[in-house]
Amino acid sequence: SAYALGQIGEAAVEPILEASDDSKPSVRAGAAKAMEWIPEASDQLAPVLIKLLEDEDETVREIAAESLSLLPEPALKLLQETIHHESAATRKVTYIALGKAGLRAKQTSQSLLQRIEKEADPELLAIGIDALAKMEVNDSSFFTFLMNHFESEETQVQQSVANAMLSLPPAQMIPIFIGFLESKNESIQLRAANLLGHIGAKAAPALKSLIKVIDNETTNTLQADAFKNALVSIGPLGIPALLEHISLVEPNSGSFWAVDLLAEYGMIGVSNLEKALENNNPRQILAVMGAFATMGTTAIEAEESIVRMTQHASPPIRAAAAQSLASIGI
């Protein structure tokens, strides 16, 4: 019914306005929904939708917010009035509407930021952060705000801050996340590692820092696993970094974790591991053979390279190559 009324257009405006004041929440909600399909009458409808943001019924408020987000920009300016509304319920749907409008509502970003800085409710704070991220806000005040809330213990706020940070240019955020890896707060370290993994290949500058933390004897299993996942998520660029680490550490120093991690790259890492054999570094070759052995049949594409290593002058390398061949079924 709401869609049909919306398609009728301006001729339906008066009946829709009457319905928006109906005693039944379902009728008010339907009227609010119909308004989103009559943008040509937004000057008449937007003020009514603003009023419906204060409705006692949650569904009416939510639909009114959605309709406002879809109307032309002049309607969005009216949301400036409800950003600072005394009712938390009205502020919530206002933030949602601004988030759905995204870039079109960017002119409200400073007002929204000023308001959520005072927001005590974690849910509203998270929704406000999401809205600002969808507006693609990237100024110093928003950046500082995110930094101040990175250590929040509220799950909703953590998630929103993380998503907002990921929406910012990687070159801006990667040095920050690398710095967080050295935090004494384990939770901060884990979040930073997770975000670096989400960034992927562009987070390659963090590889050495991740390896350093994993190799630290004081790092617990949970931390190490999170950092390993991040390292693998950054992609094959992590393979040269791991091989370099293997080359530098003392044999049997406990860095066998790096060999196991090489195998985690699976098929995508096989060609990169084969290239490492060309360096003729004994430690690296043994590490690659160990990774292939762990991969099993996944490393079948490396068969020729492994066979070549069975002719190597070093007996340990020949033995490792034979073991790798057996593991992949040759």
Side-chain angles (χ1 to χ4, degrees):
S1 298
Y3 177 74
L5 285 165
Q7 296 310 300
I8 291 171
E10 289 189 274
V13 168
E14 287 304 322
I16 288 172
L17 292 176
E18 289 180 25
S20 70
D21 200 32
D22 195 274
S23 60
K24 294 180 180 178
S26 60
V27 177
R28 298 197 301 277
K33 185 68 176 172
M35 293 181 195
E36 74 176 66
W37 287 299
I38 316 178
E40 62 272 22
S42 62
D43 288 346
Q44 287 177 269
L45 302 177
V48 178
L49 287 169
I50 289 290
K51 181 181 177 182
L52 290 175
L53 292 182
E54 303 177 27
D55 197 276
E56 61 185 23
D57 185 85
E58 184 177 7
T59 301
V60 174
R61 295 195 301 270
E62 290 177 351
I63 292 177
E66 183 174 359
S67 293
L68 272 167
S69 72
L70 296 169
L71 290 179
E73 278 189 40
L76 297 175
K77 291 179 181 178
L78 294 178
L79 288 168
Q80 293 269 21
E81 301 173 14
T82 53
I83 286 175
H84 299 279
H85 200 281
E86 61 181 13
S87 165
T90 299
R91 292 199 307 276
K92 177 181 175 180
V93 290
T94 299
Y95 301 167
I96 291 171
L98 292 171
K100 288 185 175 181
L103 274 172
R104 295 191 304 118
K106 195 167 184 176
Q107 72 271 21
T108 67
S109 62
Q110 286 307 308
S111 292
L112 178 56
L113 181 58
Q114 290 169 11
R115 182 62 190 85
I116 65 171
E117 283 178 338
K118 305 171 186 175
E119 202 66 77
D121 186 325
E123 181 187 12
L124 268 65
L125 176 57
I127 294 171
I129 294 171
D130 288 339
L132 288 166
K134 289 173 182 174
M135 293 176 195
E136 298 183 14
V137 176
N138 184 19
D139 56 30
S140 58
S141 56
F142 185 45
F143 178 75
T144 301
F145 176 84
L146 293 174
M147 292 289 289
N148 290 339
H149 286 81
F150 190 78
E151 297 188 19
S152 172
E153 296 301 322
E154 296 288 346
T155 303
Q156 285 177 297
V157 177
Q158 286 178 11
Q159 189 63 55
S160 294
V161 168
N163 289 337
M165 285 183 160
L166 288 174
S167 72
L168 298 174
Q172 179 182 357
M173 296 312 306
I174 290 169
I176 303 298
F177 295 149
I178 291 174
F180 283 146
L181 295 179
E182 299 178 4
S183 171
K184 294 181 180 180
N185 184 322
E186 182 181 323
S187 177
I188 298 299
Q189 283 187 318
L190 295 178
R191 268 178 258 166
N194 184 44
L195 290 170
L196 287 166
H198 272 83
I199 290 172
K202 291 182 180 179
L207 289 169
K208 288 187 178 180
S209 297
L210 290 167
I211 290 172
K212 180 181 177 182
V213 177
I214 298 170
D215 207 45
N216 191 324
E217 293 179 359
T218 63
T219 302
N220 63 45
T221 303
L222 180 63
Q223 283 175 294
D225 287 345
F227 279 63
K228 288 175 184 177
N229 288 336
L231 209 155
V232 174
S233 296
I234 289 173
L237 289 173
I239 292 175
L242 284 168
L243 289 170
E244 181 183 358
H245 172 71
I246 289 167
S247 299
L248 296 175
V249 297
E250 291 297 323
N252 304 316
S253 66
S255 286
F256 57 84
W257 63 265
V259 178
D260 292 337
L261 199 58
L262 287 172
E264 291 293 322
Y265 288 91
M267 189 177 295
I268 195 173
V270 171
S271 61
N272 291 276
L273 288 169
E274 283 188 281
K275 290 176 184 176
L277 298 176
E278 298 170 6
N279 296 334
N280 204 29
N281 181 306
R283 292 188 190 174
Q284 288 192 8
I285 294 173
L286 285 171
V288 172
M289 291 302 107
F292 285 155
T294 303
M295 287 183 190
T297 56
T298 301
I300 192 69
E301 295 298 322
E303 178 185 344
E304 290 184 12
S305 297
I306 300 172
V307 168
R308 192 168 64 251
M309 290 300 107
T310 63
Q311 308 301 315
H312 199 278
S314 167
I317 290 177
R318 294 202 301 273
Q323 186 175 2
S324 296
L325 287 173
S327 296
I328 65 175
I330 307 298

